[in-house]
C-alpha cells in the first residue's frame, strides 16, 4: 500500500466536496466550490505514475456543488437506442439537483439546454433540473437499479426521485436537523439517512394494497435499546447518544453499505467508553464509526474506535475478496471478505470486515479536512479529496487486499445459506440474481457484538 498526492489544479485550487467513479466507464467526477462538476479520465500505474485527462465541465449551478454521483446503470432508463452512456446527478447550494446527459455525435445543440462552448473532448447538457429542496443539497445516491435517486438536504428533508418521470415521488420529513448522508441498499430493499440531529433513519421498501411501493421509516436510531442487562457492550453504549451532535466539525456523514448489502457502516459516531488517556479537549470521549448487520437495527454489531477526530466518510470497496484473515469471528459468516475505508478529518483507515482493528491507515496526505472517498472500478486504488483542493491516491499492489471473488460463483458453493427475506417476511432460497450483480444477505440470527480498543 502506498499513497501519493496528485498535484493538479482540479477546481482552480478551490475546495473539492465530492468525488465519484463511474461503474459503466470508469471515469472520474469531481465537484467543487467553483460551482462546476468536472469529468476526468484517470489511469494510475503501480509506480504511482498517472495520466489524467480533462474531459468536460458541467456548468449549470449557481453555487457550490456539494455532491455529484454517476448512475450505476448509465442512462439506460432514458435511452431507447440501447447505447448506454454515463448519467450524472449533481446537487448544490440553493437546493437544485441537476441531471446531466452526454450529447451524442448525431445530436446538435437544440433547445434551451446549457452546453459547453469551449473545446472539450465531450459535450454535456442539462437534461433536467429537479427543484423540491428548499436549501443546500448535501448528499445524494442512486438506487442499484438506476431508476431512483435519493437526496438529503439542509432543509432536513429526504426526497426520493423517480427517474422514469423525473419527479419527486416521496418527501420524508422525519429529521430535525441537516441531512448529511444518504446510503442506498445494493439489494434495493432499504435506504438510510443520517442527520446532524444525531439520528440514523432506516427506510424499508414496502408494497401497499394497490400494488405500488413506498418507503416507510422502519427504524430511527439515536440511542441504543438495551434490553439485555447481561450484555456489557450494550450497557456501555446505552449511556448516551450513539452519534455526534452538530458542535463537531462534521460537514458530512457519508455512510455506505457493504457491496453485498450485509452491513451498513456509519460515521460520526461516539463512544462513552473511557480511554486510558484524554484527548486534546481534556475529556475522555472517543470518536467512532459503527457497523450494523442487515435487518438488525437495535444495536451495532461493533464499533470502530480510536479516532482522534470525527469520522465523516465511509466507502466500501465495490469488489469482494477471498478470506485471508485468520481471525475466527462468529458474528460474521460471510464466505468472502469485504474491505472498506473510513475517513476522519485527516486520516484514512482501511478495514477488513473480520478484523476490529484497521489493517492500515494513511495520515497527513492533505492540509485541510477530507471530504469524500471513492474506489476505482477494479479496486486497485482509493481516491481521497479534500477542502485544500487536491486529490490523493492510495494504491494497492496486486492481490494485496486478496484475490477477487465472483460473488455469483458462491451461490452454487453455499446454497443453504443463500437466504433473503421476501415481502411476506418468509425466508426462501434465491434462485437467481436480478437487478444487481451482488448476491443476497447472509442471515445472522443473533449477532454477537464485540468492541475494539
Amino acid at each position: 500500500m502506498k499513497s501519493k498526492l496528485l498535484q493538479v489544479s482540479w477546481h482552480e485550487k478551490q475546495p473539492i466536496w465530492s468525488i465519484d467513479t463511474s461503474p459503466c466507464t470508469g471515469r472520474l467526477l469531481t465537484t467543487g466550490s467553483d460551482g462546476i462538476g468536472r469529468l476526468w479520465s484517470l489511469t494510475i500505474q503501480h509506480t504511482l505514475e498517472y495520466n489524467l485527462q480533462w474531459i468536460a465541465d458541467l456548468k449549470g449551478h449557481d453555487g457550490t456543488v456539494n455532491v455529484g454521483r454517476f448512475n450505476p446503470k448509465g442512462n439506460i432508463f432514458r435511452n431507447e437506442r440501447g447505447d448506454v452512456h454515463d448519467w450524472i446527478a449533481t446537487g448544490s447550494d440553493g437546493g437544485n439537483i441537476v441531471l446531466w446527459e452526454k450529447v451524442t455525435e448525431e445530436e446538435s445543440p437544440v433547445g434551451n439546454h446549457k452546453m459547453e462552448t469551449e473545446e472539450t473532448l465531450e459535450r454535456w447538457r442539462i437534461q433536467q433540473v429537479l427543484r423540491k429542496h428548499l436549501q443546500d443539497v448535501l448528499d445524494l445516491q442512486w438506487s442499484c437499479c438506476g431508476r431512483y435517486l435519493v437526496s438529503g438536504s439542509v432543509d432536513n428533508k429526504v426526497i426520493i426521485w423517480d427517474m422514469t418521470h423525473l419527479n419527486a415521488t416521496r418527501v420524508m420529513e422525519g429529521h430535525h436537523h441537516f441531512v448529511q448522508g444518504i446510503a442506498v441498499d445494493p439489494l434495493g430493499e432499504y435506504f438510510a439517512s443520517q442527520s446532524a440531529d444525531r439520528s440514523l433513519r432506516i427506510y424499508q421498501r414496502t408494497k401497499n394494497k394497490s400494488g405500488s411501493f413506498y418507503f416507510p421509516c422502519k427504524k430511527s436510531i439515536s440511542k441504543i435499546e438495551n434490553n439485555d442487562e447481561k450484555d456489557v457492550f450494550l450497557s456501555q453504549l446505552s449511556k448516551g447518544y450513539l452519534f455526534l451532535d452538530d458542535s463537531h466539525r462534521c460537514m458530512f456523514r457519508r455512510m455506505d453499505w457493504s457491496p453485498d448489502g450485509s452491513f451498513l457502516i456509519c460515521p460520526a459516531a461516539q463512544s462513552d467508553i473511557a480511554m486510558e488517556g484524554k484527548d486534546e479537549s481534556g475529556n475522555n470521549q472517543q470518536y467512532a464509526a459503527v457497523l450494523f448487520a442487515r435487518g438488525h437495527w437495535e444495536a451495532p454489531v461493533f464499533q470502530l474506535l480510536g479516532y482522534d477526530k470525527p469520522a465523516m466518510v465511509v466507502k466500501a470497496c465495490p469488489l469482494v475478496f477471498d478470506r485471508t484473515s485468520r481471525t475466527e469471528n462468529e458474528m460474521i459468516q460471510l464466505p468472502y471478505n469485504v474491505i472498506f475505508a473510513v475517513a476522519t478529518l485527516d486520516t484514512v483507515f482501511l478495514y477488513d470486515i473480520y478484523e476490529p482493528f484497521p489493517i492500515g491507515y494513511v495520515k497527513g496526505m492533505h492540509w485541510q479536512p477530507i471530504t469524500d472517498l471513492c474506489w476505482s472500478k477494479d479496486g486497485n486504488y482509493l481516491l481521497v479529496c479534500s477542502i485544500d483542493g487536491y486529490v490523493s491516491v492510495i494504491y494497492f499492489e496486486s492481490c494485496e487486499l486478496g484475490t477477487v471473488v465472483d460473488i455469483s460463483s458462491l451461490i452454487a458453493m453455499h446454497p443453504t445459506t443463500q437466504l433473503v427475506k421476501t415481502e411476506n417476511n418468509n425466508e426462501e432460497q434465491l434462485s437467481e440474481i436480478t437487478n444487481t450483480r451482488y448476491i443476497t444477505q447472509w442471515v445472522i440470527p443473533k449477532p454477537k457484538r464485540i468492541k475494539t480498543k
Side-chain angles (χ1 to χ4, degrees), residues 154-434:
V154 173
D155 62 9
N156 309 344
K157 296 178 182 178
V158 176
I159 297 180
I160 303 177
W161 307 85
D162 186 346
M163 293 297 101
T164 304
H165 306 288
L166 297 179
N167 61 3
T169 60
R170 294 287 186 275
V171 178
M172 319 295 192
E173 298 184 342
H175 285 296
H176 305 291
H177 210 323
F178 304 161
V179 180
Q180 297 175 301
I182 299 290
V184 179
D185 173 20
L187 300 181
E189 183 183 4
Y190 299 101
F191 76 87
S193 61
Q194 195 170 349
S195 168
D197 64 5
R198 312 180 81 170
S199 72
L200 167 69
R201 294 176 68 86
I202 307 295
Y203 306 86
Q204 186 173 20
R205 185 172 182 259
T206 306
K207 192 174 184 179
N208 58 24
K209 295 181 180 179
S210 64
S212 61
F213 291 95
Y214 66 105
F215 288 84
C217 180
K218 180 177 178 63
K219 189 74 174 178
S220 180
I221 305 166
S222 57
K223 294 183 178 181
I224 299 301
E225 298 176 4
N226 181 18
N227 297 322
D228 186 1
E229 296 180 356
K230 296 181 181 180
D231 194 327
V232 178
F233 178 51
L234 288 185
S235 65
Q236 290 174 315
L237 286 177
S238 61
K239 295 178 182 178
Y241 285 95
L242 182 60
F243 298 104
L244 298 171
D245 58 28
D246 61 352
S247 65
H248 299 268
R249 295 181 62 188
C250 293
M251 295 165 290
F252 303 106
R253 302 177 188 232
R254 288 173 169 164
M255 53 195 159
D256 199 16
W257 290 83
S258 61
D260 62 345
S262 295
F263 298 96
L264 175 64
I265 309 113
C266 304
Q270 65 179 4
S271 173
D272 292 330
I273 301 173
M275 298 186 296
E276 295 180 0
K278 295 186 177 181
D279 61 15
E280 297 176 355
S281 302
N283 56 48
N284 60 356
Q285 182 187 55
Q286 268 190 316
Y287 299 114
V290 292
L291 188 148
F292 288 90
R294 180 187 186 87
H296 301 274
W297 310 116
E298 68 278 0
V301 290
F302 59 79
Q303 287 188 316
L304 307 172
L305 305 180
Y307 309 137
D308 59 355
K309 291 181 175 61
M312 290 207 310
V313 185
V314 175
K315 200 67 175 180
C317 181
L319 305 177
V320 298
F321 304 89
D322 61 348
R323 290 190 58 176
T324 57
S325 174
R326 298 180 180 178
T327 303
E328 293 296 330
N329 195 332
E330 297 180 0
M331 176 192 62
I332 301 174
Q333 303 168 5
L334 299 176
Y336 46 82
N337 193 15
V338 175
I339 303 294
F340 63 94
V342 178
T344 65
L345 294 177
D346 62 355
T347 308
V348 176
F349 295 87
L350 291 160
Y351 289 91
D352 173 330
I353 198 69
Y354 290 94
E355 298 282 356
F357 306 101
I359 59 176
Y361 71 92
V362 180
K363 184 175 183 178
M365 294 183 294
H366 294 274
W367 300 282
Q368 295 291 329
I370 295 169
T371 54
D372 204 5
L373 304 171
C374 81
W375 289 85
S376 63
K377 187 179 178 180
D378 56 11
N380 285 340
Y381 57 86
L382 175 70
L383 294 173
V384 185
C385 66
S386 166
I387 293 178
D388 61 15
Y390 289 100
V391 173
S392 58
V393 59
I394 302 174
Y395 191 89
F396 305 95
E397 299 292 344
S398 177
C399 298
E400 183 176 355
L401 299 177
T403 303
V404 176
V405 174
D406 182 6
I407 301 183
S408 60
S409 66
L410 297 173
I411 296 178
M413 296 171 55
H414 301 82
T416 57
T417 54
Q418 190 184 329
L419 300 176
V420 64
K421 288 188 177 180
T422 64
E423 293 174 1
N424 298 324
N425 260 343
N426 298 322
E427 291 181 350
E428 60 180 26
Q429 283 195 347
L430 184 67
S431 59
E432 61 181 356
I433 303 174
T434 57

Side-chain angles (χ1 to χ4, degrees), residues 34-97:
D34 55 359
I36 299 174
R38 280 191 171 150
L39 284 171
W40 311 84
S41 175
L42 175 65
T43 56
I44 300 178
Q45 307 297 327
H46 65 91
T47 58
L48 292 185
E49 295 181 357
Y50 63 93
N51 180 23
L52 182 67
Q53 187 175 31
W54 170 64
I55 297 176
D57 280 352
L58 308 181
K59 296 180 179 179
H61 289 282
D62 296 327
T64 297
V65 185
N66 298 310
V67 58
R69 298 290 184 245
F70 286 99
N71 187 308
K73 300 296 183 180
N75 64 340
I76 188 171
F77 283 99
R78 307 296 300 179
N79 192 345
E80 298 178 354
R81 294 192 302 267
D83 51 336
V84 178
H85 300 286
D86 282 327
W87 197 18
I88 298 172
T90 55
S92 68
D93 288 357
N96 286 348
I97 297 173

Side-chain angles (χ1 to χ4, degrees), residues 431-442:
S431 59
E432 61 181 356
I433 303 174
T434 57
N435 296 330
T436 175
R437 62 190 176 90
Y438 304 119
I439 65 171
T440 183
Q441 61 178 322
W442 298 81

Side-chain angles (χ1 to χ4, degrees), residues 91-111:
S92 68
D93 288 357
N96 286 348
I97 297 173
V98 178
L99 301 179
W100 302 88
E101 63 178 358
K102 180 183 175 182
V103 179
T104 61
E105 295 179 358
E106 296 80 9
E107 294 176 315
S108 59
V110 295

